[in-house]
Amino acid sequence: MRTQVAIIGAGPAGLLLAHLLHAQGVDAVVLENRTRDYVEGRVRAGVLEQITVNLMEKLGLNQRMRREGLVHTGTNLAIDGEIFRIDMEELTGGSTVMVYGQQEVMRDLFESAAERGIKIIFEAKDVQPHGVETARPYITWRQEGAEHRLDCDFIAGCDGYHGVARGAIPAHLLKTYERVYPFGWLGILADVPPANHELIYANHERGFALASMRSSTRSRYYVQCPVDENLDDWPDERFWDEVCLRLGPEVAPHVVRGPSFEKSIAPLRSFVSEPMRFGRLFLAGDAAHIVPPTGAKGMNLAVSDVIMLGEAFGDYFDSGSTAGIDHYSARALARVWKAERFSWWFTSITHQFPEMDGFARKMQVAELNYIRGSRAAQVTLAENYVGLPLQ
Ligand code: FAD
Ligand code: PHB
């Protein structure tokens, strides 16, 4: 088998790249080690930046998003129960975000991939990139007992944090930067109307809480918890009591309780691996970087990576120019680091840290009060939240 770009991983990065290449007439094959149902079923991101919405539109994948997605012009912060709003649209000169779950994005991507004849091989076991430093890279995998090989011009490693692609770069050439947070997010999904028509990020002395949603009838809530917390210790009633306490008395009466149908704990991590290219292997998305979810940036960064990578491959196959692929790592990392900074900062002012003393807590309160009272601070928050421009 032969293709131009072999893509490892059918998450948002891999599938969007496949669609981008298809639109430019570049041949690609996606290799995914799980089933389609598994990938589509993972409950993850909920907030899309304008660049992500624009890309879905450009690829002709936005019909359902236009009908079902919720445009949010603002977001809210709470400090010990007192809420204030950030009017993102006004502060940024017109930018907004879209609430549309990653699961929905994946469903749209898979459905249209099938219609467009984009090749995805599911349940590919032991996927391995080879010869990435040569002009003839290839991938091997196993399926139903048989060995397979795919020759290609380039390999795109879109296989997430736990994937194999990053490991194909010699360790001495990789520089990794990491911060592991001593807490996680306990999240639930429930078919109840959201407490508020926009998101609320709450700093409370008992810990962070987030009121989010998937639709006008489906809510997503999170509370900060220790990473080693046991889910069995969190029956729904305890969760609802805790989230109400942390969101505060203004919001709590509007929280509609109901049975959760998903409950899980996500660890928080900041991670960047540089460079994002080695020979003919290119990394994109979570394979190269992770942000804590506070800034809602993870999936959106995967999108900006693949927009840049799609352009670079497009140029190469169009004109033979290597300028785009040569510049890809530096260009992508410049935006990644800014999103890392924003996600780290937003986490640092909204969560309770074990080492925090009275002074550190006062600094958080002062910072949030400063944002509440300063247009300049609000502009900074808003322009990062809606997504910095692609450069
Ligand atoms: P992934 O989604 O991890 O996809 C990688 C794919 O590669 C997977 O399908 C995997 O099965 C496959 N794979 C792995 N290893 C192999 C292998 N060896 N061979 C073949 N295939 C392989 N982001 C936002 O932008 N906004 C948010 O609001 C937001 N909220 C989040 C909330 C939570 C609780 C979590 C956990 C994440 C959140 N994120 C958010 C982050 C976002 O979900 C990820 O950044 C995004 O999924 C990254 O996409 P990706 O395609 O790079 O990686
Ligand atoms: C979500 O709805 O899952 C969500 C929203 C905003 C975030 C993170 C997660 O910052």
Side-chain angles (χ1 to χ4, degrees):
M1 243 171 118
R2 188 177 160 80
T3 190
Q4 287 172 300
V5 180
I7 300 173
I8 310 177
L15 269 201
L16 277 167
L17 181 62
H19 275 278
L20 273 164
L21 294 175
H22 179 80
Q24 299 177 90
V26 175
D27 191 49
V29 174
V30 185
L31 291 161
E32 165 63 50
N33 64 356
R34 315 299 292 245
T35 63
R36 172 176 164 176
D37 283 350
Y38 177 87
V39 178
E40 220 178 286
R42 281 186 303 211
V43 180
R44 299 177 86 182
V47 177
L48 309 184
E49 291 177 354
Q50 195 74 54
I51 59 150
T52 304
V53 174
N54 292 350
L55 178 63
M56 293 289 281
E57 182 181 344
K58 182 178 148 195
L59 292 170
L61 299 169
N62 67 332
Q63 293 88 340
R64 205 160 62 86
M65 178 189 291
R66 241 191 352 232
R67 283 198 312 274
E68 298 174 18
L70 306 171
V71 174
H72 281 198
T73 61
T75 196
N76 300 275
L77 303 185
I79 174 79
D80 288 336
E82 270 183 54
I83 299 200
F84 60 97
R85 180 167 190 268
I86 308 291
D87 187 340
M88 298 177 304
E89 187 175 36
E90 192 271 324
L91 290 158
T92 60
S95 295
T96 57
V97 295
M98 172 81 84
V99 169
Y100 190 68
Q102 182 167 330
Q103 284 176 293
E104 309 307 323
V105 173
M106 292 313 300
R107 195 176 127 195
D108 296 340
L109 291 173
F110 281 132
E111 269 173 18
S112 51
E115 286 160 16
R116 293 172 188 186
I118 292 172
K119 292 186 232 55
I120 309 172
I121 297 170
F122 291 100
E123 297 184 83
K125 302 298 170 204
D126 287 341
V127 173
Q128 281 300 334
H130 303 273
V132 295
E133 73 285 24
T134 73
R136 290 186 174 49
Y138 62 97
I139 294 188
T140 55
W141 72 96
R142 269 190 315 107
Q143 199 163 35
E144 287 162 6
E147 294 282 339
H148 299 268
R149 170 173 168 148
L150 174 63
D151 290 282
C152 55
D153 296 303
F154 296 106
I155 297 174
C158 301
D159 49 351
Y161 180 69
H162 299 287
V164 290
R166 196 172 61 248
I169 305 181
H172 70 278
L173 296 179
L174 274 186
K175 182 110 182 85
T176 59
Y177 303 84
E178 188 167 35
R179 179 141 312 178
V180 178
Y181 299 85
F183 42 74
W185 280 16
L186 168 58
I188 66 159
L189 268 174
D191 276 326
V192 291
N196 187 49
H197 69 289
E198 289 172 349
L199 272 60
I200 305 170
Y201 291 85
N203 177 323
H204 190 275
E205 57 185 10
R206 293 176 66 88
F208 170 79
L210 171 61
S212 181
M213 68 196 71
R214 289 292 176 272
S215 69
S216 59
T217 54
R218 181 166 289 182
S219 299
R220 178 82 164 144
Y221 289 97
Y222 296 97
V223 293
Q224 176 187 351
C225 68
V227 246
D228 52 2
E229 195 75 317
N230 189 345
L231 275 181
D232 295 338
D233 293 336
W234 284 90
D236 286 354
E237 272 321 295
R238 178 176 176 205
F239 185 92
W240 290 117
D241 288 344
E242 190 63 32
V243 83
C244 283
L245 266 176
R246 296 186 190 185
L247 291 169
E250 223 179 295
V251 183
H254 303 289
V255 172
V256 182
R257 299 180 182 217
S260 68
F261 62 88
E262 202 271 344
K263 194 183 279 166
S264 54
I265 297 176
L268 266 67
R269 181 191 299 275
S270 299
F271 172 84
V272 181
S273 167
E274 294 184 345
M276 288 170 64
R277 173 201 183 175
F278 173 64
R280 289 185 169 244
L281 169 69
F282 295 78
L283 302 181
D286 280 15
H289 42 74
I290 300 283
V291 286
T294 324
K297 290 281 164 264
M299 176 170 152
N300 293 300
L301 273 186
V303 171
S304 58
D305 285 355
V306 297
I307 291 174
M308 297 176 194
L309 194 51
E311 276 173 27
F313 285 149
D315 283 354
Y316 177 85
F317 288 112
D318 211 30
S319 68
S321 163
T322 60
I325 56 177
D326 289 341
H327 189 45
Y328 166 70
S329 177
R331 186 182 175 206
L333 282 166
R335 191 169 192 274
V336 164
W337 275 115
K338 289 181 209 164
E340 289 284 345
R341 185 208 68 82
F342 175 67
S343 305
W344 159 82
W345 168 79
F346 203 23
T347 303
S348 76
I349 66 162
T350 47
H351 290 67
Q352 300 306 310
F353 290 75
E355 70 277 12
M356 265 173 73
D357 56 9
F359 183 81
R361 173 88 186 124
K362 285 285 187 195
M363 287 300 102
Q364 281 191 339
V365 175
E367 181 130 18
L368 284 158
N369 279 327
Y370 168 61
I371 296 168
R372 184 188 347 219
S374 161
R375 182 178 168 84
Q378 291 187 14
V379 169
T380 299
L381 196 160
E383 72 174 355
N384 280 281
Y385 193 84
V386 300
L388 295 172
L390 280 180
Q391 285 172 332

